[in-house]
Amino acid sequence: VQSLLKLIERSVGLGKEARRRSQRLKEKEDEQDPSEPKTTVDDTRALIRTMCAVAGAVGHRLGQEQIDQIIPIFLRFTDPEDAVTGDDEEEEEGDDEDEAMGGMEHEDDEAAIALANELRESCFMGFESFILRCPNEVEHHLEKIIQAALAYMSYDPNYAYGDDTGENEEEEEADEEDEYDDDEEDEYEEEEDEEEDDDDESWKVRRGAVRALNAVVEAKKHDPSLLWATTYTIRREKSSVVAAALVNRFKEREENCRVGVLDCFARLLSVTVTAANAGVISFASPDGMDTESTAAVVDLREKYSSKLVKACEKILSTKKGNERSKSSALSLLATLCKAPGGLGGQDDITSVFKHVETFLASGTDTAIHREGTSKALRLDALSLVYIMLSSDNHSPVDVRICLHTTLLPQLCEGVNEQWYKVIAEALRALASVPRFFVVGYSDSDDEEIRAKEREDVSVMLYNAIEPKLAAHDVDQEIKECALNATSALLSNLHSSLPTEKTTRLLTLLLDRLKNETTRIAAIKNLSAIAAASGSNAMEDNATIDLSPILADSITTMSTFLKLQSRSLKQSTLEALDIIVTNHGSHEEFKDGKLFSAVIQDITPLIVDSDLHLSHLGLQCTDSILEVCPSAGPAVKAHVLEPSLALSTSSLLQDLALDSLLAFYKQVVIANAVEFDELLSLLRQRISQDKIGKHAIYNLAKCIAIITASSGPENTKKVLNEIFEVLESKTTPDDAATLRQVQLSLLITGDLGRMSDLSADGSADRLKAIYMGKFESTSEDLKHAAAYALGNAAVGSPATFIPAIISTLEGDNKKQQYLLLSALREFIKCSARNGSDSLSANLQDLVGPLENHCADAEEGVRTMVAECFGSLTCLHPETMLPKLAALQSAHSEIVAPEGTLAEDDATSKKNALVCWTVATSVKLAIAGKVDASQLAAHMSTFVSLLNQTELNVRTAALLLVYSATHHMPQAVSGLMQDMIVPALYEVSALKLQRTVDLGPFKHNVDDAMPLRKAALSIFSTCLESLPGSLDMASFMPVLAKALGDAEDIQLHAHQIVISMCARHPSYVVNAADSFVEPLEKTLKKKTGQKTGTELERLNDWIKSALRVALTVSRVEGVMTSSQRFPEFFSRISSDEKFASKLQALAAEQ
């Protein structure tokens, strides 16, 4: 590379710079060493192309020094002032052509121009390679590269576009609603004919410049604001932002270049929408109101949307040819639909629809145009319509008007095409149409006109959809799209369809339900139709009548529950629940016979081996009982026993538990099982010898829910029975009685959560019982009492909260953990129940929690952090400033080498408080605290990374890890300045000490947890915040982690494998640095290891082999790396590793 650079440096160059350099070289010719070779014009071309080849092949291996030498040389050959256009003044044009040939006097004019264009194209290819492969090194050269690319994007010396009048002409054309006349439509064709007559290859330079700009867009995809806001000086005092310059080049006459420009802007718009969704930038609001966001603002609606639509329409208006340009224009319009504001207003939508109509129409007026339209273009046009109708960025009123007046007949005709993909896309578009004829009306529209329009549209859609739904000899994709379109039509416009047509569609839907290949799609669409009943804005009680197929559908779906397919059973249960809820009260189901058969088929699915199906089965049974109490005997006969077994399963949790509780509640309400009988059956479950602690808590919830649902009399009776058990003994001697006492405690807590027990004095009795149980010798009873106290406080806060706070402020250290546990339960239950008692007691709770932030017991501090975290999720406006102030007040920590001095009480207390605050914020983030409010205080919390005390620093790293995983937007602005530098520092930190264990000594690295946490943050950032990491700087950190402790190595192995897919160019560049640590791992000796230790070592070695194999498959590693190919060849031929590598290759 250095040799090439030295030779290229002596070359003349092009244009004005060439003349100046040529003169300087002549002056120094006498001083030149005769032994040094002279660089001729042919040599220059060869050297530039060689350098571009090097850049394309191994550009990622070039360092900053080489890049800083290469880019200025390439820029010398792409001077913006030499980018002449046909619109320049004639006298200037002549000068520019002479300058373009500067330094090439020994060749004729055509050869000189061809050589200049060839060199410039090669230089832009080099720019593209550098930007994509080493964006960080090119960053400070990017401005000049963009300037050159913008200038040469317009480099067309043999053609004049007429820039000065173009915009005015377009504005005048926008006011006309007539079609483009023939001369205007044939503009591109004439231009291409002219181009074919010339040997003008300047388009290759323009294409190279556009590709370089496309590389810039890729490099800036995480924050493309630079390309919308920064103005670049191009040439001759002309300037523009990148986005506007691309739009102005849509007029490009050469199709290869025009397609590149359209695709480049489409990609820019796509990454901008993605960045806006991530909060990096924002789009200007239509009302012009300023927002509080500090992100860069892109005014797409006012500055670009209208121009984009007009420019794309001009391309679409050509009668024949330019198919690639038309396809790219359609793709760009589809991307624009995803941005706020979409295509614009009614006029813009109508205009686009008219052009789409020409691709789809079969009438005589447009048949000539359609004949020149390929099926791929018709597919692109339909995709544009589907994306537009699916987005929410257009006014429903405007879309409805435009559909009805312009495009709908052609959409319906599109289902009669020959190619199955076009038919399927037309059906997708039709499925998006009906909703606009429900929500797409204004209050001033006449009701009669609405009804007539809906009838016309619904019949038109029916005539298009019904034949495809009835056909059997069509592609599977068409069948599924026809089902989706049927669902949309019946869900939105069923009352506008004649009864016979609705019945016909429902009958076909039932046929599809009975067909094995379409039954899952039919189930989902039948479910959607049933769920949409009564939810439409068209009529107040617009419920579709499913009676023609309802019984057959339920019976058919019930048989699916006996089949082996889990996905089929899951879809069936979800659909049955929706159908029963919305249509189960039909008169023909009152006797419960049909539902009893369904319940029998559901029963085998209620098992703890598949909790999700159990949840869906219980949910469906609950819905059946609610709409048809006469099915109660079937529930008692079939579902009761498996539900009882599930109630004491150690696996029961989450949705399955919630569904079981709702089922028992409905059983009591519907009187399917007598309360006393059900209570007795549940109580008997506690006598099982192998019942676990978790099962006792679930059983208590079941008993509490049926008690609370049965009425106040039964509640009082159950409480009296419980008081007899709890007040008889403090700590039972035998395990069975102990479980009975524990269950009784838990039941009181769950009952107290559901109702206020203070009215009859039960709350005071329970308070005395709970406090007494805190002194029990049984840990199970202590924790049960704490759980019950926290839950009962939700229903009776006035009784229990003062008792908790006063006891917590006392001197009894043994009870503090239990009281904090009760407080945590109170906070969580209040949040789940939506109780106002928490807000009323917030200030009373915060004080005692603050007093225990510096507790010496880690368990107590953890409980405080959980309470703070839950409170922060519920009241972020109060708790976040308080936590930030608490941290700031205790930020002075003196910890040389990560440890605190024994006599430094202040630093010890401050370290404990900061640890508690960091853990609290971490838990709040995991609990989904409001991200916008958290971001305002995040810099304060992240500053804990600068603390040297190990525990505080570890807690801060875990906080950052939680933020990058759950709320990356909260820390995205802090990554470069605060977080990443701290992570690099931690990654290199080692704090080793030797522990004397008597017979032998053990080396301990106290910084290993910190390095492990830092690597976890890096790994998460690669997925959620890839733009925040400098990959070139991160690769040495990753290579070092490959040689760290075992746990860190295994994590680093996963990161390398992930990067092979996400960032292969950086893996190619760093592959040689992986050799030494991987080889060291592979040379690990088994020694005398056996059992688990030997298995762990083998897994470790296998992981390293997997990394080596994955890296070897990255394109460029085996050809451009130096050490890695030899290393991989060596281990592949080693008998120890060959078989393992073959097995791993087979896995991959």
Side-chain angles (χ1 to χ4, degrees):
V1 169
Q2 292 296 340
S3 299
L4 286 171
L5 290 174
K6 186 176 180 181
L7 292 171
I8 296 173
E9 180 65 26
R10 290 201 297 268
S11 65
V12 174
L14 300 172
K16 298 176 182 178
E17 177 65 16
R19 289 187 170 184
R20 290 193 291 267
R21 288 182 58 84
S22 179
Q23 184 63 33
R24 290 197 299 268
L25 288 174
K26 288 180 179 179
E27 294 174 357
K28 296 182 179 180
E29 196 171 34
D30 296 335
E31 303 175 7
Q32 183 176 347
D33 187 350
S35 62
E36 292 186 10
K38 295 182 180 181
T39 305
T40 65
V41 175
D42 290 337
D43 291 340
T44 301
R45 177 176 57 183
L47 292 169
I48 289 289
R49 302 187 82 177
T50 303
M51 192 67 248
C52 290
V54 171
V58 291
H60 55 278
R61 295 181 59 191
L62 297 174
Q64 187 69 58
E65 181 182 354
Q66 286 78 28
I67 293 293
D68 289 342
Q69 291 179 275
I70 295 171
I71 298 294
I73 294 175
F74 278 29
L75 288 170
R76 206 171 72 213
F77 292 92
T78 55
D79 185 357
E81 291 300 325
D82 297 329
V84 296
T85 69
D87 296 304
D88 295 336
E89 295 179 3
E90 292 183 3
E91 62 273 12
E92 294 177 344
E93 183 177 333
D95 294 339
D96 284 341
E97 289 179 355
D98 291 339
E99 291 169 357
M101 295 180 286
M104 304 179 186
E105 295 85 350
H106 302 292
E107 301 194 34
D108 57 24
D109 293 349
E110 290 186 3
I113 294 174
L115 176 58
N117 291 338
E118 189 176 340
L119 288 177
R120 286 163 178 153
E121 181 191 8
S122 298
C123 289
F124 281 115
M125 290 173 58
F127 288 148
E128 179 188 13
S129 176
F130 295 140
I131 294 170
L132 292 176
R133 291 176 175 265
C134 37
N136 296 308
E137 290 81 356
V138 178
E139 180 66 32
H140 62 281
H141 298 287
L142 208 55
E143 180 179 354
K144 292 184 178 180
I145 293 176
I146 293 175
Q147 288 177 350
L150 291 176
Y152 281 93
M153 183 174 63
S154 305
Y155 173 64
D156 198 351
N158 298 319
Y159 188 82
Y161 292 89
D163 290 339
D164 295 337
T165 58
E167 292 186 5
N168 294 330
E169 291 174 357
E170 287 180 3
E171 290 174 2
E172 293 173 2
E173 292 166 3
D175 296 332
E176 299 176 3
E177 295 185 0
D178 297 335
E179 294 183 355
Y180 294 82
D181 53 25
D182 293 341
D183 293 338
E184 203 171 58
E185 289 176 343
D186 293 339
E187 177 183 347
Y188 288 115
E189 300 166 32
E190 293 174 0
E191 291 167 3
E192 288 178 352
D193 292 338
E194 292 175 9
E195 187 176 2
E196 290 174 0
D197 295 335
D198 298 329
D199 292 331
D200 180 12
E201 294 191 350
S202 62
W203 66 271
K204 294 183 178 180
V205 180
R206 299 198 298 277
R207 181 185 62 181
V210 172
R211 292 180 62 177
L213 284 177
N214 199 43
V216 173
V217 173
E218 287 297 324
K220 293 295 180 183
K221 62 183 178 182
H222 301 298
D223 183 9
S225 57
L226 177 80
L227 307 178
W228 294 93
T230 304
T231 302
Y232 295 93
T233 301
I234 304 175
R235 63 184 294 269
R236 297 190 177 181
E237 299 182 353
K238 293 182 180 180
S239 61
S240 176
V241 298
V242 173
L246 286 169
V247 174
N248 290 335
R249 285 307 300 172
F250 286 180
K251 61 191 176 185
E252 169 65 52
R253 64 189 177 107
E254 163 58 40
E255 185 167 26
N256 286 320
C257 300
R258 186 164 60 245
V259 169
V261 173
L262 289 167
D263 292 345
C264 182
F265 191 90
R267 179 57 179 160
L268 172 59
L269 187 57
S270 176
V271 300
T272 303
V273 172
T274 303
N277 293 335
V280 177
I281 63 175
S282 61
F283 288 103
S285 58
D287 54 7
M289 297 294 290
D290 294 333
T291 62
E292 296 181 0
S293 174
T294 58
V297 178
V298 175
D299 192 357
L300 183 67
R301 187 192 300 263
E302 293 296 328
K303 294 183 178 180
Y304 294 96
S305 293
S306 180
K307 291 182 180 180
L308 288 173
V309 173
K310 291 174 185 175
C312 290
E313 286 176 352
K314 192 171 183 180
I315 295 172
L316 297 175
S317 65
T318 54
K319 287 186 177 179
K320 56 184 177 180
N322 299 307
E323 287 208 3
R324 291 176 57 213
S325 297
K326 292 177 182 178
S327 179
S328 295
L330 291 169
S331 177
L332 174 55
L333 290 174
T335 306
L336 182 60
C337 290
K338 300 175 184 178
L343 298 179
Q346 182 177 334
D347 293 340
D348 296 308
I349 296 172
T350 300
S351 181
V352 171
F353 277 179
K354 284 182 178 179
H355 286 89
V356 172
E357 181 186 12
T358 61
F359 295 134
L360 306 178
S362 57
T364 56
D365 294 338
T366 54
I368 296 177
H369 192 154
R370 188 180 181 280
E371 286 176 3
T373 303
S374 70
K375 57 185 180 181
L377 267 184
R378 292 199 286 277
L379 179 62
D380 291 338
L382 287 168
S383 297
L384 166 61
V385 176
Y386 170 65
I387 291 172
M388 183 178 175
L389 298 181
S390 301
S391 72
D392 296 323
N393 295 317
H394 304 90
S395 167
V397 177
D398 294 341
V399 174
R400 176 191 62 81
I401 294 172
C402 298
L403 276 171
H404 189 248
T405 59
T406 306
L407 192 62
L408 190 55
Q410 280 67 40
L411 279 181
C412 294
E413 191 66 27
V415 301
N416 297 322
E417 291 282 349
Q418 297 297 317
W419 193 26
Y420 78 97
K421 284 189 174 293
V422 174
I423 300 173
E425 200 66 28
L427 287 169
R428 289 191 187 96
L430 289 178
S432 303
V433 168
R435 74 180 181 96
F436 290 101
F437 291 88
V438 176
V439 300
Y441 293 96
S442 60
D443 296 336
S444 59
D445 291 333
D446 185 80
E447 282 294 336
E448 292 184 4
I449 297 177
R450 290 189 191 186
K452 181 65 169 62
E453 188 173 287
R454 285 173 179 151
E455 289 176 3
D456 294 342
V457 169
S458 60
V459 171
M460 192 183 302
L461 292 173
Y462 171 86
N463 292 333
I465 296 170
E466 189 272 341
K468 298 304 175 185
L469 184 64
H472 292 277
D473 55 343
V474 293
D475 190 82
Q476 178 71 12
E477 186 178 0
I478 295 177
K479 294 178 182 178
E480 293 181 1
C481 290
L483 284 168
N484 293 336
T486 303
S487 171
L489 176 58
L490 292 177
S491 298
N492 292 279
L493 297 175
H494 58 84
S495 62
S496 299
L497 269 176
T499 304
E500 65 275 8
K501 295 184 184 300
T502 301
T503 304
R504 170 62 176 166
L505 290 178
L506 291 175
T507 304
L508 291 173
L509 185 60
L510 180 61
D511 290 341
R512 289 284 177 245
L513 183 67
K514 296 177 180 180
N515 188 295
E516 183 178 357
T517 61
T518 56
R519 59 191 179 195
I520 290 184
I523 288 172
K524 293 179 179 178
N525 284 285
L526 181 60
S527 172
I529 294 170
S533 298
S535 64
N536 295 333
M538 189 167 49
E539 295 179 11
D540 292 337
N541 295 306
T543 302
I544 185 172
D545 182 14
L546 295 180
S547 57
I549 64 165
L550 191 56
D552 288 341
S553 298
I554 293 175
T555 303
T556 302
M557 286 192 288
S558 179
T559 62
F560 295 160
L561 300 177
K562 301 175 183 178
L563 302 179
Q564 293 297 318
S565 173
R566 186 179 183 276
S567 61
L568 177 61
K569 288 188 281 191
Q570 179 177 327
S571 299
T572 300
L573 287 171
E574 291 171 348
L576 280 173
D577 180 49
I578 293 173
I579 292 172
V580 168
T581 301
N582 291 281
H583 299 270
S585 56
H586 201 274
E587 193 65 33
E588 64 177 309
F589 302 144
K590 292 294 185 181
D591 58 1
K593 291 182 180 179
L594 177 63
F595 288 143
S596 297
V598 174
I599 288 171
Q600 291 184 43
D601 292 329
I602 290 176
T603 301
L605 304 179
I606 303 176
V607 289
D608 62 357
S609 59
D610 194 331
L611 288 181
H612 188 62
L613 286 184
S614 297
H615 149 64
L616 294 174
L618 288 168
Q619 185 175 259
C620 186
T621 307
D622 179 22
S623 299
I624 290 174
L625 264 182
E626 188 174 354
V627 300
C628 184
S630 58
V635 171
K636 181 178 180 180
H638 300 288
V639 183
L640 183 59
E641 187 59 34
S643 70
L644 290 172
L646 189 63
S647 67
T648 52
S649 170
S650 58
L651 303 175
L652 181 63
Q653 58 185 326
D654 299 333
L655 291 176
L657 175 59
D658 294 340
S659 297
L660 181 64
L661 296 177
F663 166 73
Y664 278 141
K665 180 179 179 179
Q666 192 60 44
V667 164
V668 173
I669 293 174
N671 201 27
V673 182
E674 292 291 337
F675 167 72
D676 291 335
E677 180 183 358
L678 183 57
L679 178 63
S680 175
L681 290 171
L682 287 170
R683 281 177 169 172
Q684 290 174 13
R685 307 297 298 181
I686 195 65
S687 60
Q688 295 179 351
D689 294 334
K690 296 183 179 180
I691 187 170
K693 296 178 183 178
H694 180 68
I696 296 176
Y697 279 75
N698 290 337
L699 187 60
K701 288 183 174 71
C702 296
I703 295 175
I705 194 72
I706 66 169
T707 303
S709 304
S710 64
E713 292 185 2
N714 286 326
T715 301
K716 186 174 181 180
K717 182 180 73 172
V718 170
L719 279 174
N720 290 333
E721 294 173 356
I722 289 175
F723 283 137
E724 293 179 4
V725 175
L726 295 178
E727 293 176 346
S728 60
K729 288 186 180 181
T730 302
T731 303
D733 297 329
D734 61 299
T737 309
L738 182 65
R739 289 199 298 269
Q740 290 285 355
V741 174
Q742 184 182 1
L743 178 65
S744 299
L745 281 170
L746 297 173
I747 292 172
T748 60
D750 290 316
L751 277 175
R753 185 185 69 250
M754 300 174 192
S755 57
D756 186 357
L757 302 179
S758 60
D760 58 354
S762 297
D764 293 324
R765 295 175 67 183
L766 288 173
K767 179 175 68 174
I769 291 172
Y770 296 151
M771 295 302 178
K773 296 302 179 184
F774 284 167
E775 303 296 334
S776 173
T777 56
S778 170
E779 291 295 324
D780 290 340
L781 290 186
K782 287 180 181 179
H783 290 291
Y787 171 88
L789 177 58
N791 279 265
V794 176
S796 308
T799 302
F800 293 104
I801 293 299
I804 294 175
I805 293 175
S806 61
T807 310
L808 193 59
E809 293 176 343
D811 298 330
N812 193 335
K813 298 291 184 182
K814 296 181 179 180
Q815 294 185 2
Q816 286 181 351
Y817 180 84
L818 296 172
L819 291 167
L820 287 169
S821 177
L823 202 55
R824 178 193 61 180
E825 290 297 330
F826 167 70
I827 295 169
K828 290 185 175 180
C829 292
S830 296
R832 285 196 297 267
N833 294 356
S835 174
D836 296 331
S837 57
L838 182 60
S839 300
N841 294 279
L842 180 61
Q843 297 301 326
D844 296 332
L845 298 177
V846 171
L849 290 174
E850 286 185 6
N851 295 336
H852 288 81
C853 281
D855 197 287
E857 293 292 333
E858 184 177 346
V860 173
R861 295 199 312 277
T862 302
M863 200 62 68
V864 170
E866 291 189 25
C867 293
F868 270 146
S870 299
L871 289 173
T872 303
C873 292
L874 298 172
H875 300 281
E877 70 285 349
T878 301
M879 294 305 301
L880 285 171
K882 191 174 289 294
L883 288 173
L886 190 63
Q887 176 193 319
S888 300
H890 297 81
S891 58
E892 295 183 6
I893 304 174
V894 180
E897 297 184 0
T899 57
L900 299 168
E902 290 293 333
D903 57 348
D904 192 351
T906 302
S907 293
K908 285 184 178 181
K909 179 181 178 180
N910 291 346
L912 294 175
V913 171
C914 288
W915 182 93
T916 305
V917 170
T919 307
S920 302
V921 177
K922 178 193 74 173
L923 295 172
I925 293 171
K928 305 299 182 185
V929 66
D930 184 79
S932 59
Q933 298 193 52
L934 175 66
H937 301 278
M938 201 65 193
S939 60
T940 302
F941 301 133
V942 169
S943 65
L944 289 175
L945 289 172
N946 299 324
Q947 296 288 354
T948 56
E949 204 275 331
L950 293 180
N951 292 326
V952 174
R953 209 171 192 180
T954 302
L957 287 168
L958 295 177
L959 183 159
V960 173
Y961 172 75
S962 181
T964 54
H965 182 72
H966 296 288
M967 295 181 180
Q969 68 273 24
V971 292
S972 59
L974 305 174
M975 291 298 296
Q976 296 294 339
D977 297 331
M978 297 184 67
I979 297 177
V980 173
L983 293 179
Y984 285 144
E985 181 182 347
V986 168
S987 299
L989 183 64
K990 286 195 175 183
L991 297 173
Q992 294 182 336
R993 56 189 174 90
T994 302
V995 180
D996 190 350
L997 299 176
F1000 58 91
K1001 294 182 179 180
H1002 180 59
N1003 292 325
V1004 177
D1005 187 355
D1006 293 325
M1008 190 178 73
L1010 278 73
R1011 297 198 303 276
K1012 187 175 180 180
L1015 194 63
S1016 298
I1017 296 172
F1018 280 128
S1019 176
T1020 307
C1021 287
L1022 288 172
E1023 298 180 6
S1024 57
L1025 292 168
S1028 64
L1029 291 181
D1030 180 353
M1031 296 300 173
S1033 301
F1034 171 62
M1035 297 311 291
V1037 175
L1038 183 58
K1040 189 174 181 180
L1042 290 172
D1044 210 320
E1046 180 182 352
D1047 289 345
I1048 297 178
Q1049 278 193 42
L1050 293 173
H1051 198 171
H1053 290 168
Q1054 296 301 318
I1055 296 175
V1056 172
I1057 293 172
S1058 174
M1059 289 196 68
C1060 288
R1062 295 174 181 270
H1063 306 282
S1065 61
Y1066 291 97
V1067 174
V1068 175
N1069 193 23
D1072 287 342
S1073 64
F1074 297 162
V1075 172
E1076 185 176 346
L1078 288 176
E1079 196 161 30
K1080 187 176 179 181
T1081 301
L1082 295 176
K1083 289 181 178 179
K1084 293 285 184 182
K1085 296 181 179 180
T1086 58
Q1088 298 180 350
K1089 292 183 174 66
T1090 57
T1092 305
E1093 288 186 356
L1094 180 60
E1095 183 179 353
R1096 185 178 177 88
L1097 177 60
N1098 288 332
D1099 289 341
W1100 189 2
I1101 294 173
K1102 186 178 179 180
S1103 179
L1105 289 172
R1106 185 180 289 109
V1107 171
L1109 179 63
T1110 307
V1111 171
S1112 70
R1113 292 183 172 181
V1114 176
E1115 183 180 357
V1117 168
M1118 302 302 287
T1119 56
S1120 60
S1121 298
Q1122 298 175 354
R1123 298 176 58 195
F1124 192 89
E1126 187 272 333
F1127 159 72
F1128 188 74
S1129 175
R1130 188 168 62 253
I1131 62 174
S1132 299
S1133 58
D1134 193 320
E1135 295 180 356
K1136 290 177 14 181
F1137 306 128
S1139 58
K1140 294 180 180 179
L1141 281 172
Q1142 291 176 0
L1144 290 172
E1147 289 178 8
Q1148 295 181 357

